[in-house]
Amino acid sequence: MACARVPLDEQQVTEPGLLGREQTLPALHPARKEERCFVPYKSPPEDGSPAEVEEFLEHAKFITEDLEWLLALPHDKFWCQVVFDESLQRCLDSYLHQAPRGLDLASLPSSPAVAEMQRSIHRAVFLTFLRMATHKESKENFITPAVFGEIIYENFLFDIPKILDLCVLFGKGNSQLLHKMIENIFTQQPSYYSDLDETVPTVLQVFDTILNKCGIQCEGATAMEPMKLNAHKQPTAMTMSQQELADLILYLCDSTTTIHAFLDIFPAACTSFHSHGFLSRLTSFYETAVPDLEKAVRKRNFDDKSLQEDLWKRVSHSCRKMVEMTHLLLHHTCLQPILEGGENMLSYAEELLQHFTSFLPEKRFLSDYDEQFPIADDISLLQQALPVIDETRTSYLLQGVESAWDSVGRRKPQSQNQHKVTAAHQGAAGGAAAAAAAASSFRPQEGGAQERGRESPLGAEAMLDVPSKGNNGAVCPVSAAELESLLSCIRDLLPDLGEGFLLACLQEYNYNTELVINNILEDRLAPNLDKLDRAMPRPVKEELPDVLGVRSNVFDDDEFDIFRRDQVDMSRIWKGRRKGESARDMLNDKQHIAEQKSRYQAYETVVDEVVIEPGESAATYGLDDYDDEYDDTYDMNQVGANDLDGDSLLNRRPFTVPQVLRKGNKQEEEEGEDEEEEEAIPNNVNRDQFVQDPALLRERAEARRATMQQRRGFRPERPSNVVGQPKGQGQTTETFLDRRKKEANKSRTSNHNRRNMADRKRNKGMIPS
């Protein structure tokens, strides 16, 4: 019997031997293992024939019963079976390798019996791994932590590939339990961290392999290798076979989904990935490989349209996972330490800004990243946490983001997606109670995965989370050239659809081609689009009248009207002086006078009376014709005759001697800005006086000046009184103010500022000291 409060690795048990004698053995011993054969797992059949379905159900029933028997064993028996039974490990490994992932579930049959059996196996496998990762089930049943770490590490019960598969298979709906399990494994056995560091270069090799298969020159660690001689014969994504393209996209989708699930569930691994330059390699791969893969899926002719649809979903899913991986790495390695307010916040902020700056050349990746995780929000958090951040640098980054959106021909959505809040993880797992809680609260990932309200019968993961509708305004946000490019992109993939229908779809989904293609292929269009004819042609655009044809201008139809004349006399057009023409010739040219002479010759002769010769009548000169429109109202009246400015006057003005020739009076012109006043010379002044008295002239001028100032409301300045009262009798406020004003302004006149000027010259070295 097991001893109480003693770890399993130190316990001794007594059991009957072969000859009936009792023998004492360690609690963990191969002899205590039960003889039971665990069969490997096989995935559900794809075609769904009755014979294959029945075979799968029977095979899966054996696995479920064996795992339930294993979970019902006591603590010591369970660990003996786990450590020493190789068939159990082969069974568990086969499920991790063969179990359908999220995007594989759509191709599986929707039989309720198959789905229920798959959920049962999924649940039993998860509980088995969860119990294997727990070193303490209760106060009596536990293993020494150090020994537990050695057992799972030396017997390969867990390794990095297994942990990655566990995350991608059981992450959805069980992330907290899975986080506790993986955290306990890494805590009890730190050697897994070194294994993880060795695994990251292998993960990076995935990107290089895909680039090589696509015939693209690698960037990063392997970019310095010499090019192979047959590199020019390497097939590309457009030239490789459809099967090779499908395998390549499946490989990319599975890799990105697995890595993202691992980083999401176990954020402590972000440091290892970050230290190997994973971010730069990921963004470079995204910018280089994704456009080629998307182009190959869209442009190539597929015999099976469902295959083309599935590949497009996987490419889109891979892009989203790579963007989310980047966000996870930035959040846990840079943003999280800043938000926690620890030490070296400035260094973390600088590192984050450097990463954003390195994203600027990757236009496609930067726009996709900013669409899911707006960079402006992260910069706003930095500015709130660290007000000393350089605003010029942040403005440069934001302008680079806008430039990336413009360069890829997309319009930034008005409403950005809300950031996902990561739930707080709890502490380490705790024994059999944790396993029991897992059994009760377990939500199998395959059975509970949903995507936009559509249940997946077996799925372990949501396939593609896309918004159902865009937010498009009344005005088209893209130019005519960009709109034609979007239509061409969709018609290359879906040639049977009319342009009118595609225009309505683009307008509905904010001109997002990927969203339109996905919703059309999945038959998830909005209700108003389902009612439209899919072959609807493009509406005819009304042509506006030509602006030049309807314009009106004073220069229309002249000799220089280039809009209506094909030929213009260019000899009549020059700039500056004509070539070969001197200034003297130009001044001597009187041609314009000769041209105007004939015009004014008609006004030389004025005939007052017309003499009618004998034999001629007045009708000859048009004098007898009566004009009905002639107004003879004033013919008999002398209208204007009494006006003084008329040419013919009845009362002429009497002759007046000019003032210059007069000797009696003189008129003096008084100076003034608004008017001139005339006044006569006093009678007592000598008429022959040539120069008047200057004192009298000054008096008159002063009087005129006073009159003008009074008329304009001008107040004369108060006279300055700096003398004041005799000393000792006190001074008035006016005297005090006048003295201070004089003291402050005395350097403006005369040479009172000579000391200041001398000091200034001496300071400049002009006067030797």
Side-chain angles (χ1 to χ4, degrees):
M1 296 297 294
C3 301
R5 305 295 178 130
V6 176
L8 181 62
D9 53 282
E10 298 180 3
Q11 292 181 14
Q12 299 288 330
V13 294
T14 302
E15 292 185 353
L18 297 177
L19 300 177
R21 297 180 180 178
E22 292 185 355
Q23 56 181 352
T24 302
L25 298 174
L28 291 177
H29 194 273
R32 303 192 64 204
K33 175 179 70 72
E34 298 289 342
E35 293 298 333
R36 196 177 187 97
C37 182
F38 291 85
V39 296
Y41 170 81
K42 293 182 180 180
S43 59
E46 295 183 1
D47 55 358
S49 62
E52 292 182 348
V53 170
E54 183 179 359
E55 181 184 0
F56 168 78
L57 294 177
E58 184 178 2
H59 195 85
K61 184 178 180 181
F62 291 151
I63 299 175
T64 305
E65 292 177 352
D66 290 341
L67 292 180
E68 290 178 352
W69 169 83
L70 176 67
L71 292 172
L73 292 176
H75 185 253
D76 54 342
K77 289 287 188 179
F78 172 82
W79 277 102
C80 289
Q81 202 73 28
V82 166
V83 173
F84 303 113
D85 193 345
E86 295 182 357
S87 65
L88 172 62
Q89 297 303 322
R90 286 195 296 268
C91 174
L92 296 177
D93 292 346
S94 64
Y95 184 82
L96 296 181
H97 296 162
Q98 304 295 332
R101 270 62 175 172
L103 296 180
D104 300 331
L105 301 172
S107 61
L108 296 180
S110 57
S111 171
V114 173
E116 181 63 29
M117 185 58 67
Q118 178 66 27
R119 282 194 291 268
S120 300
I121 299 178
H122 193 80
R123 178 178 180 275
V125 171
F126 178 75
L127 292 179
T128 302
F129 278 107
L130 184 61
R131 190 174 182 186
M132 288 167 54
T134 305
H135 69 282
K136 183 178 181 180
E137 296 183 1
S138 64
K139 294 181 179 180
E140 292 79 17
N141 300 322
F142 64 95
I143 304 176
T144 306
V147 178
F148 169 78
E150 293 181 3
I151 291 175
I152 62 175
Y153 190 77
E154 297 298 333
N155 294 279
F156 295 95
L157 300 184
F158 292 99
D159 52 25
I160 300 300
K162 284 185 180 181
I163 294 175
L164 293 174
D165 289 334
L166 288 173
C167 291
V168 72
L169 285 174
F170 304 101
K172 289 291 184 178
N174 308 286
S175 58
Q176 293 186 359
L177 287 175
L178 201 58
H179 171 75
K180 292 179 181 179
M181 185 176 89
I182 299 176
E183 186 179 32
N184 188 49
I185 292 173
F186 276 81
T187 302
Q188 307 305 332
Q189 183 52 268
S191 298
Y192 283 110
Y193 283 105
S194 60
D195 292 351
L196 180 61
D197 290 333
E198 297 177 359
T199 306
V200 175
T202 306
V203 176
L204 294 175
Q205 188 63 32
V206 172
F207 301 143
D208 296 337
T209 302
I210 296 175
L211 290 175
N212 287 329
K213 292 292 184 181
C214 294
I216 303 174
Q217 181 64 29
C218 303
E219 296 182 5
T222 61
M224 301 304 294
E225 296 180 0
M227 184 179 296
K228 298 180 180 180
L229 295 178
N230 59 349
H232 64 282
K233 300 180 181 179
Q234 185 72 22
T236 63
M238 292 294 295
T239 59
M240 66 176 59
S241 64
Q242 290 188 4
Q243 186 61 41
E244 290 178 349
L245 178 62
D247 293 341
L248 195 66
I249 294 177
L250 289 173
Y251 182 51
L252 172 63
C253 180
D254 185 64
S255 301
T256 54
T257 305
T258 303
I259 299 170
H260 172 265
F262 177 62
L263 295 177
D264 188 23
I265 293 174
F266 188 59
C270 293
T271 305
S272 299
F273 280 80
H274 186 69
S275 62
H276 286 79
F278 187 79
L279 270 178
S280 60
R281 298 285 298 278
L282 179 63
T283 56
S284 176
F285 170 81
Y286 189 99
E287 191 73 15
T288 306
V290 168
D292 285 1
L293 293 177
E294 288 185 348
K295 180 181 177 182
V297 176
R298 289 199 307 263
K299 299 289 185 180
R300 296 186 58 164
N301 295 324
F302 287 83
D303 299 333
D304 187 4
K305 292 298 181 181
S306 62
L307 175 61
Q308 186 178 21
E309 175 188 352
D310 182 67
L311 294 181
W312 179 260
K313 289 180 181 178
R314 292 180 183 275
V315 172
S316 302
H317 182 74
S318 302
C319 294
R320 188 166 64 92
K321 291 304 178 183
M322 285 189 281
V323 170
E324 291 177 357
M325 267 193 285
T326 305
H327 178 70
L328 283 174
L329 291 172
L330 291 177
H331 178 77
H332 292 292
T333 58
C334 299
L335 274 176
Q336 192 65 30
I338 295 175
L339 297 178
E340 292 175 355
E343 299 179 355
N344 301 326
M345 293 177 60
L346 281 176
S347 62
Y348 288 117
E350 178 66 23
E351 185 178 2
L352 180 63
L353 293 178
Q354 286 181 359
H355 284 303
F356 285 154
T357 305
S358 66
F359 294 165
L360 293 181
E362 320 294 348
K363 304 294 184 182
R364 170 68 184 273
F365 173 80
L366 185 60
S367 60
D368 291 347
Y369 180 87
D370 187 65
E371 183 178 6
Q372 294 193 41
F373 308 101
I375 295 180
D377 294 349
D378 295 339
I379 293 180
S380 177
L381 287 177
L382 283 183
Q383 292 174 343
Q384 294 176 14
L386 297 171
V388 296
I389 294 296
D390 187 9
E391 294 185 1
T392 304
R393 187 174 184 182
T394 56
S395 300
Y396 171 76
L397 286 175
L398 295 179
Q399 291 176 2
V401 173
E402 298 296 334
S403 175
W405 280 95
D406 296 337
S407 63
V408 298
R410 297 169 58 190
R411 188 177 181 87
K412 192 172 183 179
Q414 298 295 332
S415 57
Q416 295 283 5
N417 296 332
Q418 299 294 331
H419 291 286
K420 297 181 180 180
V421 181
T422 306
H425 298 297
Q426 300 178 0
S440 61
S441 63
F442 174 75
R443 293 180 295 167
Q445 186 173 351
E446 274 74 12
Q450 295 182 1
E451 178 194 358
R452 291 283 174 193
R454 184 180 64 181
E455 291 190 5
S456 180
L458 305 173
E461 187 174 345
M463 292 181 5
L464 186 61
D465 187 11
V466 292
S468 59
K469 180 179 178 181
N471 183 15
N472 182 35
V475 182
C476 180
V478 297
S479 63
E482 293 173 348
L483 184 59
E484 293 297 332
S485 177
L486 297 177
L487 284 175
S488 175
C489 174
I490 302 178
R491 286 184 61 82
D492 289 341
L493 185 62
L494 305 169
D496 354 344
L497 301 181
E499 291 189 358
F501 175 73
L502 295 180
L503 282 175
C505 294
L506 286 172
Q507 184 178 5
E508 180 73 14
Y509 294 104
N510 198 20
Y511 296 89
N512 189 338
T513 56
E514 297 178 359
L515 192 57
V516 170
I517 294 173
N518 285 332
N519 290 339
I520 291 176
L521 293 177
E522 296 178 3
D523 198 15
R524 295 169 50 199
L525 292 174
N528 57 331
L529 297 177
D530 282 336
K531 299 177 182 178
L532 298 178
D533 181 13
R534 299 207 170 193
M536 181 174 59
R538 191 171 187 173
V540 180
K541 184 178 181 181
E542 298 181 1
E543 296 185 359
L544 298 177
D546 187 11
V547 178
L548 299 179
V550 299
R551 73 183 182 95
S552 297
N553 197 290
V554 69
F555 302 106
D556 287 348
D557 299 322
D558 63 2
E559 59 178 330
F560 300 112
D561 189 1
I562 60 176
F563 297 108
R564 290 181 172 84
R565 289 179 177 268
D566 296 334
Q567 300 293 334
V568 178
D569 187 6
M570 300 302 296
S571 63
R572 299 285 309 277
I573 302 174
W574 69 88
K575 182 178 181 182
R577 183 187 302 173
R578 280 186 176 182
K579 294 182 179 180
E581 184 180 275
S582 63
R584 184 176 298 277
D585 295 339
M586 184 177 63
L587 294 176
N588 292 335
D589 184 11
K590 306 300 181 182
Q591 182 182 358
H592 62 285
I593 298 177
E595 293 176 354
Q596 297 294 332
K597 186 175 182 180
S598 60
R599 179 178 181 181
Y600 289 99
Q601 282 179 352
Y603 300 98
E604 288 183 353
T605 305
V606 178
V607 180
D608 294 336
E609 296 180 356
V610 178
V611 179
I612 302 176
E613 300 291 338
E616 295 180 352
S617 63
T620 305
Y621 300 94
L623 301 178
D624 289 347
D625 295 341
Y626 178 78
D627 190 1
D628 292 339
E629 297 181 357
Y630 178 74
D631 188 4
D632 57 354
T633 304
Y634 302 100
D635 285 354
M636 302 304 296
N637 297 330
Q638 298 175 352
V639 179
N642 295 325
D643 295 342
L644 297 180
D645 56 352
D647 293 337
S648 178
L649 304 177
L650 298 177
N651 299 325
R652 304 185 68 86
R653 191 174 66 177
F655 177 76
T656 305
V657 179
Q659 295 182 1
V660 178
L661 303 178
R662 294 179 187 179
K663 295 182 180 180
N665 296 325
K666 289 185 178 181
Q667 182 180 8
E668 297 181 358
E669 297 180 358
E670 299 179 358
E671 297 179 357
E673 296 180 2
D674 295 341
E675 63 181 359
E676 297 181 355
E677 297 180 356
E678 297 180 358
E679 59 180 61
I681 302 175
N683 296 329
N684 55 357
V685 179
N686 188 3
R687 296 179 182 273
D688 297 333
Q689 182 180 2
F690 183 71
V691 179
Q692 296 186 14
D693 185 7
L696 182 60
L697 294 178
R698 286 194 297 271
E699 184 179 354
R700 290 178 181 175
E702 183 66 27
R704 287 195 303 273
R705 190 178 300 107
T707 302
M708 291 299 297
Q709 291 179 354
Q710 183 178 6
R711 185 181 303 167
R712 294 183 178 182
F714 176 76
R715 289 186 177 182
E717 187 177 358
R718 180 178 58 82
S720 178
N721 182 18
V722 296
V723 179
Q725 299 294 332
K727 189 174 182 181
Q729 296 185 9
Q731 306 297 334
T732 62
T733 305
E734 290 77 5
T735 302
F736 176 74
L737 294 177
D738 291 341
R739 289 179 179 178
R740 187 169 65 176
K741 182 178 180 182
K742 177 182 178 182
E743 180 69 22
N745 299 323
K746 69 180 182 179
S747 62
R748 296 174 57 185
T749 58
S750 186
N751 59 350
H752 292 286
N753 60 344
R754 57 184 178 271
R755 181 181 298 277
N756 295 334
M757 297 304 295
D759 293 341
R760 182 179 178 185
K761 292 181 179 180
R762 184 179 295 107
N763 292 335
K764 290 188 176 182
M766 301 173 64
I767 302 176
S769 302

